[in-house]
Amino acid sequence: MLELMDNTLKSSAEVEELLEIPLLGLLPPLPSNKLKLKSTEIFLENFSLLEPYRSLLKNLDNRRIEKPRLIIVSSTSSGEGKSVVASHLATVSAMLSQRTLIIDANLRRPTQHNLFDLLPTQGITDVIDGKQSLLETVQPTNIDYLHVLTCSKEQQPSSQLLESAKIHTILAEAANKYDLVIIDTNNLSDKPDAAILSKNSDGLIIVTRPGFTRKELLQKTVSELNKSCVPILGVVVNDEITSIKEKHYHSWAINSYEPIKNLAAVESKANNTANKANGLRAN
């Protein structure tokens, strides 16, 4: 009964039990003032936050004989923090003096411009349509070696754009110009964009989140990706936590996941759930 009431991942150990794909890294919860990267000093100078991302980058390099240059980042559903993982992974890559590009291919909910405090006036759709070249459209950030190709919020582009022959040319050019290209896409359960783009990449990273990612949906998604021969680099556990208070400390907000302000209400909800569980055991 308890399992039916909450069929979400509880820990990284469950990820390894459920899936026959590599576990690439465990990422800690990020405080609200470190989600956006307008100012990077707070993140880059915090070893406990920086080192897990550096280890993730190293694990990606060790997964292949050749160093991956084009990586897709996605998750099963909204709220698992894939866009934040993509932005912070790119930041660490740039910190190591690698020419790094983030492409925001999340046509339904573009986020990267917000995380880096950029204007989404021109983006990937302009390059696909041939209005501008890739290098004319990418925007520099306040981080050396890091650029972003945004997705304009003023347009409502069709997902068919990501299936055009032009997108393959753009990705090939990006991989040639940069040491690492990280593509932030729609969720795997919403649109096939991530799976489509992954077939023309070095592989897909699946971001999960304890207390949020549904186990059955994750298993189904990985099974469908394997059947479609989509290359999967591995899975990342985001917001790896140990206590009930921490587990329920974040909730999804538009364009990012922000801490819940009323933590007391969350703790009360967690206590009520625990009391119900104890009642079930007693009966």
Side-chain angles (χ1 to χ4, degrees):
M1 284 291 294
L2 291 173
E3 183 70 15
L4 290 174
M5 291 171 61
D6 182 11
N7 191 28
T8 59
L9 290 175
K10 306 302 184 299
S11 67
S12 57
E14 280 194 330
V15 174
E16 295 182 282
E17 292 175 2
L18 288 172
L19 307 174
E20 296 181 358
I21 57 177
L23 178 61
L24 295 172
L26 308 177
L27 303 179
L30 292 175
S32 59
N33 64 337
K34 297 179 180 63
L35 294 178
K36 293 187 177 182
L37 290 161
K38 181 179 180 180
S39 177
T40 59
E41 289 80 6
I42 298 176
F43 170 66
L44 294 179
E45 293 178 1
N46 189 320
F47 181 83
S48 63
L49 299 179
L50 174 64
E51 188 61 21
Y53 280 90
R54 194 174 72 86
S55 297
L56 170 57
L57 195 61
K58 185 175 181 61
N59 289 337
L60 285 170
D61 291 345
N62 293 336
R63 285 298 306 162
R64 298 171 57 92
I65 297 176
E66 295 184 4
K67 184 177 179 179
R69 298 177 66 90
L70 191 63
I71 297 172
I72 312 296
V73 178
S74 190
S75 60
T76 57
S77 58
S78 296
E80 288 156 308
K82 63 176 181 56
S83 296
V84 171
V85 170
S87 63
H88 285 65
L89 182 62
T91 297
V92 173
S93 171
M95 181 198 72
L96 298 174
S97 300
Q98 295 188 115
R99 295 169 300 167
T100 306
L101 173 67
I102 297 180
I103 297 178
D104 196 341
N106 189 342
L107 305 185
R108 293 184 62 187
R109 183 184 279 180
T111 303
Q112 294 300 329
H113 68 279
N114 188 46
L115 293 174
F116 288 96
D117 196 29
L118 300 173
L119 293 175
T121 53
Q122 299 169 336
I124 186 173
T125 53
D126 298 295
V127 182
I128 295 175
D129 291 339
K131 297 178 181 178
Q132 287 186 291
S133 69
L134 174 67
L135 295 183
E136 289 175 334
T137 312
V138 297
Q139 297 187 54
T141 67
N142 65 332
I143 305 167
D144 291 338
Y145 299 102
L146 180 58
H147 292 79
V148 178
L149 178 60
T150 66
C151 180
S152 176
K153 293 184 65 175
E154 298 179 0
Q155 304 180 38
Q156 296 295 326
S158 168
S159 292
Q160 292 180 349
L161 288 174
L162 299 181
E163 299 185 52
S164 66
K166 185 65 180 293
I167 190 66
H168 306 316
T169 303
I170 294 171
L171 296 183
E173 180 184 358
N176 185 52
K177 299 289 186 181
Y178 291 87
D179 298 316
L180 179 63
V181 180
I182 298 176
I183 304 176
D184 181 14
T185 66
N186 289 327
N187 302 308
L188 291 161
S189 60
D190 290 341
K191 294 284 185 179
D193 299 350
I196 292 170
L197 292 174
S198 294
K199 291 184 177 182
N200 295 279
S201 74
D202 291 314
L204 167 70
I205 296 175
I206 301 175
V207 177
T208 63
R209 187 180 175 195
F212 198 96
T213 302
R214 290 163 45 205
K215 289 188 283 190
E216 72 279 2
L217 179 58
L218 178 61
Q219 287 178 301
K220 178 183 177 183
T221 299
V222 172
S223 176
E224 291 176 350
L225 291 172
N226 287 331
K227 290 178 182 178
S228 301
C229 298
V230 173
I232 303 175
L233 291 172
V235 62
V236 169
V237 179
N238 187 34
D239 270 11
E240 174 72 355
I241 36 73
T242 55
S243 70
I244 291 178
K245 289 182 180 180
E246 289 172 324
K247 170 182 173 181
H248 294 280
Y249 187 69
H250 291 85
S251 69
W252 181 255
I254 295 177
N255 292 335
S256 65
Y257 59 112
E258 301 286 352
I260 297 175
K261 294 181 180 179
N262 189 359
L263 182 57
V266 177
E267 293 178 2
S268 176
K269 182 178 179 180
N271 291 333
N272 290 336
T273 301
N275 291 335
K276 290 180 181 179
N278 291 332
L280 286 172
R281 293 191 185 97
N283 292 329

